Amino acid sequence: MVRVGDRDIYFTEAGAGPVVVLLHGGGPGASGRSNYSRNIEALAGKFRVIVPDMPGYGRSTKRVDHTDPFGDLAAAVGGLLDALGVPRAHLVGNSYGGAAALRLAMDRPEKVDRMILMGPGGVGTTRALPTKGLQSLLSYYSGTGPSREKLAQFVRDYLVYDASAVTEDIIDNRYQASLDPEVIENPPLRRPSGPGALRTVWRMDFTRDPRLGKVRHPTLVVWGAADQVNRPSGARMLADRMPDCDVYLAARTGHWVQWERAELFNDLAATFLGHSR
């Protein structure tokens, strides 16, 4: 646990070498270790792997600035690197974590080396209606409140391509983690509301930010071709705007590329992050 500003950020780490920070997604019950359970050991053979629980999740402080959530997450990640004495790191981000990584590259480019973004959030979100998967995610804590049935539907119907690979233990563990009273009272990922909602929505779409075209960090975008949470068309949007952006579209894969296609992802990540500038 490390203090970053007025929040505590929990993280685990493994391995030695260039620093790679793995940033998890924003689904209910998510955490660093659970989202990257199939990747940490493989990457730790070549890198110093740091895996935080993002603010609002796991063991970290349950508070996020909802007027600028991606900016707040980016500040937390940058602050974590500062607290650990890491001047610069590779960033690997899935969904919510991908949005945090991309925003940090805009806000504090000197802290970022290479990036891998898997189905990142905040790409073209103002240019189309939300997907069914994103609606499921955002409505988890609203209405009748959290339930195992809602959690199972989100994971099996929207998070992955092959639901048969999802065990009952995965559902149980995610469901129990989603029941933290602080999270239920103040969900970290929710629809913007209130007087500043439109400004927040606009700010959360990176394709509306002119700084996106100035992000020159070597970037690999990995997107599941069957992603039902964030549309795969977002990969093309990033490639069209970012000057050093490669794209890999994974067939028969949903939103959780690093878990569903772990061997493929680990090989891609080790190769891409192992290149020198």
Side-chain angles (χ1 to χ4, degrees):
M1 193 77 76
V2 66
R3 192 72 173 173
V4 176
D6 61 352
R7 291 182 290 205
D8 292 321
I9 303 297
Y10 175 83
F11 69 97
T12 58
E13 66 174 295
V19 176
V20 176
V21 182
L22 306 182
L23 303 173
H24 65 80
S31 68
R33 286 194 65 87
S34 66
N35 273 208
Y36 290 102
S37 62
R38 297 182 173 183
N39 318 111
I40 296 171
E41 184 177 355
L43 294 177
K46 295 184 178 181
F47 305 97
R48 177 188 175 191
V49 180
I50 297 173
V51 193
D53 289 345
M54 302 281 273
Y57 293 86
R59 302 185 194 181
S60 294
T61 297
K62 306 298 188 293
R63 188 174 67 257
V64 176
D65 179 0
H66 291 290
T67 66
D68 184 18
F70 294 159
D72 191 35
L73 295 174
V77 175
L80 173 64
L81 294 176
D82 292 339
L84 297 178
V86 176
R88 187 183 185 94
H90 300 307
L91 301 181
V92 176
N94 175 228
S95 194
Y96 191 67
L102 194 49
R103 180 64 183 269
L104 182 59
M106 294 179 181
D107 291 351
R108 298 184 65 188
E110 75 282 357
K111 299 299 293 184
V112 181
D113 197 340
R114 289 176 167 246
M115 288 190 293
I116 300 178
L117 309 175
M118 300 94 76
V123 181
T125 49
T126 62
R127 301 177 188 276
L129 293 174
T131 63
K132 290 183 178 180
L134 186 57
Q135 291 179 42
S136 175
L137 191 163
L138 294 174
S139 64
Y140 180 73
Y141 288 102
S142 61
T144 57
S147 71
R148 191 183 186 283
E149 181 181 4
K150 289 170 73 172
L151 192 284
Q153 181 185 39
F154 169 69
V155 173
R156 291 195 166 115
D157 291 357
Y158 301 115
L159 193 59
V160 299
Y161 175 79
D162 181 7
S164 68
V166 179
T167 66
E168 293 300 318
D169 283 344
I170 289 174
I171 299 298
D172 287 338
N173 291 337
R174 294 266 315 225
Y175 176 56
Q176 290 302 319
S178 76
L179 297 180
D180 186 302
E182 287 185 271
V183 176
I184 293 175
E185 183 178 349
N186 187 26
L189 186 57
R190 61 193 187 194
R191 292 183 177 87
S193 60
L198 287 178
R199 183 168 183 263
T200 298
V201 168
W202 201 264
R203 180 185 279 170
M204 291 177 71
D205 185 352
F206 297 124
T207 66
R208 303 290 185 183
D209 192 326
R211 296 180 299 166
L212 183 61
K214 300 176 182 178
V215 175
R216 299 191 176 277
H217 308 79
T219 301
L220 174 62
V221 173
V222 182
W223 219 300
D227 192 332
Q228 296 190 69
V229 177
N230 291 331
R231 291 183 176 86
S233 57
R236 182 76 260 172
M237 292 183 187
L238 292 177
D240 286 344
R241 289 165 173 80
M242 298 171 67
D244 197 356
C245 178
D246 295 318
V247 170
Y248 189 100
L249 198 63
R252 299 184 300 279
T253 308
H255 190 56
W256 224 8
V257 178
Q258 80 281 6
W259 189 85
E260 283 195 271
R261 304 289 299 278
E263 185 175 352
L264 168 68
F265 176 79
N266 293 338
D267 287 344
L268 286 172
T271 300
F272 182 77
L273 298 178
H275 285 174
S276 59
R277 292 182 67 87

